[in-house]
Amino acid sequence: MFRLLNFEFNRIFKLLVGLSIGVFGIQLISVIISTISYKESVIESNLREGMTLQEIVETYGLFEAYYITLNNLFFLPVGICAGVILFSIFFIWYRDWAGKNTFMYRLMMLPQSRMTIYYAKLLTIMITVLSLAFIQYLYLYIYAIVAKLILPSQYIGSLNPSDMISQSSLQVILAPDTLLFISAYLIGTLFVMMMFTLILLERSYKFVGLLIGGLYLFVIASLIIGFIVHQYIFNPYPYFYKTELVIIAILAWLILTLITFIWNRHLMKRKITV
Amino acid sequence: MKKYWKLTLTLTGIIVLFITFTLQKDRPIKELPQYSFNTVEGDSSLLDDLQVIGDTYDMQYNTYTEFKLTEQSFEKFELLPFYKQEAYQYLPNAIEKLKKEDKNFMRQKSFDDLYDINEDYAAFITLSFSGVWYNYNELKVDIKDRKKDEYKEFTLNVKEDLQLNDITLDQMLIVEDYLYLTVTDYNATEDLYDEDIHLLTIDMEEERVIDSQELAHISDDGTGEENYEVDFVHNEEGSQAAMALYYWGEHERELEKVIYFSGNNEKQVLDVSEGDLAAVADDYLIFVNYENGKSSVDFYSLTEEKFTEHIHLDEYHFVDNTVIEKDILYFTAVNDEIETKAALFAYDLYTFEPLYVGEIVPSKTDQRYAMSISALEFIH
């Protein structure tokens, strides 16, 4: 299992490194733009107009954590990563069927459970996602250092990475609440498993499988959207309490994960062909 | 092992960064000071069922959290797990208790709505919601009779019944079987902006408005420079209450009218024009005053119809959060405008003698940290 995981991970590693470098490069430019913009438009222009340091800080505030993520460019690589990961979910399977040598045939012939292939691919995707999320966290420390190098220290407020997360959309990938963080990635895992169902159905039944998989995803998406609409849109206040929502979410996750897993297992063991 | 280095390195990195993230994510909130009671004089057992809700903030780094302090414990709202944060701040204790008592009645009720809860009734009033927009001339009234454990829900069309066109809800309270509600009715023309504040009396048995009284009228160009504010207080049983109408001039707030409500829909306009209405207790209305740097708590006798007793504070100002529990008046005050130090007082309502004086002390004395207290509540 570990060997196969290592094998799959090695195949995606270059992509992971490429994305990490890309994220850093683009976000660094974004942070430099935000910082220089603050320096020029807030500090230098007001000093020229005769304001004191104290007056500038009182009027415009210090350079705080939210300035780091203020430029729209900051979230561009995050979006690109999400797109690439979505593409990878399909690519990780289909490349084994593509090409002259059907590599999937060799994988299926390995003297171990076919589910090992499934686990290896699923874990590879999740490790890649988590790596990107935590690399993002690591970068926040570097961006704080960059801002401190550009700006005079008297104008710098809290550049704590925790504040950068809580004051921006980064909360989506790095939820500040531990339980919410774990839940987000468990839901992410379920999403990847559902995508795998679609792929395995297509590989097992071709176009008919694609239709069945599409229908399965459509039904689940409709249920979730219907629930959200009922909960938040046509009512002035949410119907369920948060504690009830947690229980509903856990039950829904367990049921859907179980159905998806059993279905995927059945497809892997009995239906899929090369 | 060498051939696994990429995977091993990545997994190690994920674990290390996850631990760092988990340890660091709450650091700004954890760095905010904790608070505790420091008894200066009196009986600290009076604090047994008392909880103080307040907020603490770091003025340098703009970090903020609400906190809840009891004699035994201290907790910060922002450190609670997300599923315990039912709203964006601590819910009032009366709401929490009612949620435990009747989860279904409290479904889709928000403490942002107008509500009042006493021993006999719980009532919520909202503008009726069509599913897409609010109807600004129709009220939805949700009532729970706590003694009989019965519900009542009805709508009131104020356009048809009272010729009010476009209202916002201001304040409400229940006294016995009557519900008093103040609303502001807006009438805007091209160059004139009219606001009328009305006091509506709703009979909860008959499910209709039985009286409407205009309290104040504003007519200006829409700049909002003058304004009125209504405040209601009532005793825990819901048998007596009072309403204060304040006029906001350019900077000052002036007490314009005080109405005392007792049972059977009896209303009495009182001759009081100073102070802020703070509480009602049997024979007294309690006002707080701040004048010439001195704060006081003043007792207006309902039988003698004049101020009869006063509590003067020397070191502390801005009396707030008045609560009466078992004939003891509790309130807070602060030592200066930035509220670096707060104090808690308890006075006997018969003798007007202090029973408890204590300070709410921060664990860090750095001037960058400030606090304010928003409520005193009894948990039982």
Side-chain angles (χ1 to χ4, degrees), chain A residues 3 176 237 241-242 244, chain B residues 4 25 82 85 103 107 113:
Chain A
R3 285 176 64 187
Y237 301 113
Y241 294 113
K242 270 190 186 169
E244 293 173 339
Chain B
Y4 294 125
K25 67 185 172 56
F82 78 99
Q85 297 180 358
K103 213 171 183 180
R107 213 171 270 289
D113 289 335

Side-chain angles (χ1 to χ4, degrees), chain B residues 196-362:
Chain B
D196 295 307
I197 299 174
H198 294 264
L199 171 67
L200 311 184
T201 308
I202 299 167
D203 187 322
M204 293 195 285
E205 290 294 319
E206 294 182 20
E207 300 179 15
R208 66 182 184 91
V209 179
I210 55 167
D211 184 36
S212 170
Q213 182 184 340
E214 187 177 312
L215 292 175
H217 174 81
I218 301 169
S219 187
D220 65 15
D221 56 0
T223 53
E225 280 171 1
E226 57 171 355
N227 213 338
Y228 282 92
E229 189 180 319
V230 176
D231 200 8
F232 278 127
V233 292
H234 66 73
N235 63 354
E236 201 174 346
E237 301 82 39
S239 58
Q240 54 171 179
M243 185 208 84
L245 178 74
Y246 301 97
Y247 171 75
W248 274 100
E250 277 192 17
H251 302 293
E252 292 255 315
R253 190 169 89 148
E254 292 165 17
L255 180 61
E256 192 162 296
K257 189 181 270 182
V258 177
I259 302 176
Y260 172 69
F261 304 85
S262 47
N264 295 323
N265 191 24
E266 281 172 18
K267 297 172 204 151
Q268 181 189 351
V269 178
L270 304 177
D271 183 25
V272 186
S273 58
E274 274 182 21
D276 289 352
L277 179 65
V280 55
D282 296 336
D283 298 333
Y284 294 103
L285 287 189
I286 298 161
F287 291 82
V288 297
N289 248 308
Y290 178 71
E291 236 173 62
N292 304 325
K294 292 279 177 193
S295 280
S296 66
V297 182
D298 306 316
F299 296 82
Y300 180 88
S301 165
L302 290 163
T303 48
E304 295 179 45
E305 296 194 7
K306 63 176 184 180
F307 284 101
T308 53
E309 301 289 342
H310 304 271
I311 296 169
H312 294 283
L313 299 179
D314 297 323
E315 196 185 336
Y316 287 89
H317 310 295
F318 309 114
V319 173
D320 204 358
N321 307 305
T322 45
V323 172
I324 294 167
E325 174 76 7
K326 293 176 185 159
D327 298 321
I328 297 171
L329 173 72
Y330 294 80
F331 60 85
T332 60
V334 289
N335 63 331
D336 54 34
E337 280 192 38
I338 56 162
E339 306 183 11
T340 48
K341 208 166 153 190
L344 174 69
F345 299 85
Y347 277 79
D348 190 310
L349 273 178
Y350 291 110
T351 62
F352 303 100
E353 292 297 321
L355 298 174
Y356 177 86
V357 180
E359 288 175 342
I360 296 169
V361 208

Side-chain angles (χ1 to χ4, degrees), chain B residues 23 52 57 63 82 84 86 98 106 111 168 189 213 257 279 290 355 370 380:
Chain B
L23 294 176
V52 174
Y57 43 100
T63 327
F82 78 99
K84 286 190 176 174
E86 202 63 68
L98 201 58
M106 291 303 286
F111 82 109
T168 56
T189 56
Q213 182 184 340
K257 189 181 270 182
Y290 178 71
L355 298 174
H380 49 68

Side-chain angles (χ1 to χ4, degrees), chain A residues 9-71:
Chain A
F9 187 72
N10 280 343
R11 291 165 95 192
I12 212 167
F13 189 72
K14 278 180 191 158
L15 179 72
L16 176 61
V17 172
L19 284 173
S20 307
I21 293 169
V23 168
F24 184 69
I26 298 171
Q27 288 187 338
L28 188 64
I29 293 168
S30 154
V31 171
I32 291 171
I33 291 171
S34 298
T35 318
I36 290 177
S37 160
Y38 179 90
K39 191 181 180 187
E40 286 177 354
S41 61
V42 174
I43 305 175
E44 288 174 355
S45 71
N46 286 305
L47 284 176
R48 274 197 299 273
E49 284 176 19
M51 282 175 86
T52 62
L53 185 153
Q54 184 74 17
E55 286 168 341
I56 293 171
V57 170
E58 278 173 12
T59 313
Y60 299 96
L62 294 165
F63 185 87
E64 298 273 0
Y66 72 91
Y67 278 104
I68 295 283
T69 57
L70 196 61
N71 195 303

